[in-house]
């Protein structure tokens, strides 16, 4: 299979007006690490002590993020997804972690994460139960918001299992209100539209008013088919999604699966390139204790991170397809533009295309300065 990527910087400028949640947070796409895709809901620590959802796992990942260059590169959130909870709330109806897997409690774990210079994120669900079957927040939104603030949480992912999708338009903003009421700065990640898409039309203007980022579509799985399906879905919806995408409010195509089992070298570079050009959140889900050097090189590529974190926050789009090669384009600050050439078909021969500069929107008479992030790779 051939994957071809090119990044070009030129003199262009664009202004985009968006709606956004103005809590002062997530002015660039959030970067960090999350448990879910790699570690799912493993709770058997006796048989799987190194991969169960536990304070041990989170502490070890925090160590790796701080010591192996990820924090320095910008990955500053470490987020515990589902299955951290005890099966019941305490006598005061407060959430509590599983006492065996989190013996020191969530506040102590957050303190450890903060001691490493990282920020701490946690998961809950708007419905009656989490997706893994643990206590949900629907009847305790304010209490749970207060609990997260007391635990010094910096990021909340609120899922949407076991909930009425028609009530989400009121419920998700209400949780955002309670988070703001705590006076603690907590990035708010919503799964609101992901549950409505395909059934009712999400109100993305309202979603962007109340959430810092939001999942739009299916969960990513550890294979290129899933990855490409997500890319194609976002490309098909890009004109509407881009209207609400920018500083403080981000469409989220889901986690980076680079470093797991399902992607080749070229496919891994493809995900990082497309996520960067879309200004998508860069949330890794990988075992950082076992990651290979070439995986790290992709995740720590400072130029791709710079494109992703560009302060304009414009969502790059697929604007041209030539012989099955997709050309994506993103306007950057300082009159620069990034392009990605992406060839997703599973063929083993090179893809050769000729594209006049004018078709790329390069129709000025000045000299263009070209900088390659990735060289051409033939697999």
């Amino acid at each position: 299979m051939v994957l071809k990527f090119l990044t070009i910087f030129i003199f262009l400028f664009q202004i985009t007006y968006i709606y956004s949640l103005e809590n002062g947070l997530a002015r660039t796409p959030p970067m960090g690490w999350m448990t879910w895709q790699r570690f799912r809901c493993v709770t058997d620590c006796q048989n799987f002590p190194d991969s169960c959802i536990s304070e041990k796992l989170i502490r070890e990942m925090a160590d790796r993020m701080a010591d192996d260059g990820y924090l320095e590169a910008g990955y500053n959130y470490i987020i515990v997804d589902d299955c951290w909870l005890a099966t019941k709330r305490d006598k005061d109806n407060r959430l509590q972690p599983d006492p065996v897997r989190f013996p020191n409690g969530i506040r102590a774990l957050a303190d450890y994460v903060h001691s490493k210079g990282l920020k701490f994120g946690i998961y809950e669900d708007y419905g009656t139960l989490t997706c893994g079957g643990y206590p949900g927040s629907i009847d305790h939104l304010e209490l749970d918001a207060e609990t997260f603030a007391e635990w010094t949480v910096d990021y909340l992912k609120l899922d949407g299992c076991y909930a009425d999708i028609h009530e989400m338009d009121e419920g998700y903003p209400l949780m955002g209100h309670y988070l703001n009421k705590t006076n603690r700065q907590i990035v708010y990640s919503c799964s609101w539209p992901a549950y409505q898409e395909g059934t009712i039309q999400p109100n993305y203007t309202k979603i962007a008013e109340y959430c810092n980022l939001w999942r739009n579509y299916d969960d990513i799985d550890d294979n290129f088919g899933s990855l490409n399906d997500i890319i194609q879905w976002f490309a098909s919806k890009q004109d509407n999604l881009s209207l609400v995408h920018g500083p403080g409010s981000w469409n989220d195509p889901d986690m980076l699966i680079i470093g797991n089992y399902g992607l080749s070298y070229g496919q891994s570079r493809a995900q990082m390139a497309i996520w960067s050009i879309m200004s998508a959140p860069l949330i890794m889900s990988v075992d950082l204790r076992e990651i290979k050097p070439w995986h790290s090189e992709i995740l720590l590529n400072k130029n791709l991170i710079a494109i992703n974190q560009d302060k304009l926050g414009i969502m790059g789009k697929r604007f041209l397809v030539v012989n099955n090669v997709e050309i994506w384009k993103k306007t950057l600050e300082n009159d620069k533009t990034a392009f990605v050439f992406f060839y997703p078909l599973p063929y083993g021969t090179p893809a050769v295309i000729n594209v006049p500069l004018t078709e790329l929107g390069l129709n000025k008479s000045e000299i263009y300065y070209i900088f390659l992030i990735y060289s051409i790779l033939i697999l």
Side-chain angles (χ1 to χ4, degrees), residues 242-268:
S242 63
L243 297 176
V244 293
H245 187 98
S249 59
W250 310 99
N251 295 288
D252 182 4
D254 210 2
M255 292 161 278
L256 295 169
I257 56 174
I258 298 160
N260 292 324
Y261 307 110
L263 299 187
S264 69
Y265 180 50
Q267 292 164 353
S268 298

Side-chain angles (χ1 to χ4, degrees), residues 4 24 27 29 35-36 42 68 70 127 170 186 188 196 200 231 237-238 246 285 338 346:
K4 187 174 182 180
R27 306 311 298 174
T35 56
W36 181 255
V42 178
D68 295 346
Y70 297 98
E170 301 303 323
I186 300 175
Y188 187 27
Q196 294 182 335
I200 59 177
I231 292 171
K237 306 282 186 179
Q238 62 187 12
S285 189

Side-chain angles (χ1 to χ4, degrees), residues 1 56 70 73 82 93 99 157 161 179 194-195 246 253 290 351 374:
M1 187 173 90
K56 173 182 179 295
Y70 297 98
D82 202 354
N93 281 325
K157 174 184 173 181
C161 283
L179 290 174
Y195 286 86
E290 299 179 356
Y374 286 147

Side-chain angles (χ1 to χ4, degrees), residues 105-126:
I106 298 300
R107 175 58 190 265
L109 181 58
D111 287 346
Y112 184 82
V113 168
H114 291 146
S115 76
K116 295 292 181 176
L118 295 158
K119 297 181 179 181
F120 182 72
I122 208 163
Y123 167 104
E124 241 298 348
D125 191 289
Y126 171 62

Side-chain angles (χ1 to χ4, degrees), residues 87-364:
T87 56
K88 294 182 180 179
R89 292 172 176 266
D90 70 13
K91 60 182 179 60
D92 298 317
N93 281 325
R94 289 183 174 271
L95 295 172
Q96 55 184 344
D98 182 279
V100 175
R101 294 181 284 116
F102 294 87
N104 295 300
I106 298 300
R107 175 58 190 265
L109 181 58
D111 287 346
Y112 184 82
V113 168
H114 291 146
S115 76
K116 295 292 181 176
L118 295 158
K119 297 181 179 181
F120 182 72
I122 208 163
Y123 167 104
E124 241 298 348
D125 191 289
Y126 171 62
T128 56
L129 298 171
T130 73
C131 297
Y134 294 88
S137 284
I138 195 165
D139 296 323
H140 306 279
L141 294 176
E142 185 169 17
L143 178 61
D144 290 354
E146 292 171 353
T147 299
F148 296 142
E150 291 172 8
W151 287 345
T152 65
V153 166
D154 305 297
Y155 180 116
L156 172 65
K157 174 184 173 181
L158 192 66
D159 213 335
C161 283
Y162 301 102
D164 186 335
I165 61 173
H166 299 89
E167 296 179 0
M168 291 180 176
D169 287 4
E170 301 303 323
Y172 272 91
L174 185 59
M175 185 54 150
H177 166 73
Y178 289 138
L179 290 174
N180 286 337
K181 189 177 176 181
T182 69
N183 291 319
R184 181 167 181 82
Q185 291 192 316
I186 300 175
V187 170
Y188 187 27
S189 172
C190 305
S191 295
W192 177 359
Y195 286 86
Q196 294 182 335
E197 282 281 359
T199 303
I200 59 177
Q201 177 58 46
N203 183 344
Y204 278 107
T205 300
K206 185 173 184 178
I207 291 165
E209 290 175 351
Y210 292 100
C211 304
N212 291 116
L213 63 157
W214 51 88
R215 287 286 313 287
N216 309 71
Y217 188 53
D218 292 345
D219 285 0
I220 195 167
D221 289 320
D222 190 16
N223 61 76
F224 184 71
S226 174
L227 170 61
N228 191 47
D229 177 57
I230 290 170
I231 292 171
Q232 301 310 317
W233 187 89
F234 273 85
S236 72
K237 306 282 186 179
Q238 62 187 12
D239 290 339
N240 289 328
L241 296 179
S242 63
L243 297 176
V244 293
H245 187 98
S249 59
W250 310 99
N251 295 288
D252 182 4
D254 210 2
M255 292 161 278
L256 295 169
I257 56 174
I258 298 160
N260 292 324
Y261 307 110
L263 299 187
S264 69
Y265 180 50
Q267 292 164 353
S268 298
R269 300 207 307 178
Q271 185 181 23
M272 191 69 180
I274 297 295
W275 262 233
S276 292
I277 207 135
M278 286 201 304
S279 299
L282 298 180
I283 306 295
M284 306 177 290
S285 189
V286 58
D287 191 339
L288 296 173
R289 299 164 301 189
E290 299 179 356
I291 194 168
K292 295 179 180 178
W294 64 263
H295 292 138
S296 296
E297 289 174 5
I298 294 171
L299 291 166
L300 296 174
N301 186 307
K302 63 181 181 180
N303 294 309
L304 283 174
I305 291 173
I307 291 170
N308 175 266
Q309 295 287 295
D310 183 79
K311 292 181 180 179
L312 294 182
I314 293 170
M315 179 178 171
K317 300 179 183 180
R318 184 181 67 190
F319 80 105
L320 189 63
V321 180
V322 181
N323 294 338
N324 295 311
V325 175
E326 301 180 11
I327 304 175
W328 292 65
K329 179 180 179 180
K330 175 183 179 179
T331 300
L332 306 172
E333 63 178 340
N334 299 323
D335 296 333
K336 298 175 182 178
T337 294
F339 291 91
V340 167
F341 287 59
F342 171 55
Y343 185 64
L345 298 184
Y347 302 148
T349 54
V352 179
I353 62 171
N354 295 304
V355 183
L357 291 181
T358 54
E359 292 190 21
L360 298 177
L362 310 182
N363 49 21
K364 295 183 178 182

Side-chain angles (χ1 to χ4, degrees), residues 74-87:
Y75 295 95
N76 60 344
Y77 286 95
I78 186 163
I79 306 156
V80 185
D81 207 282
D82 202 354
C83 305
W84 61 271
L85 284 154
T87 56

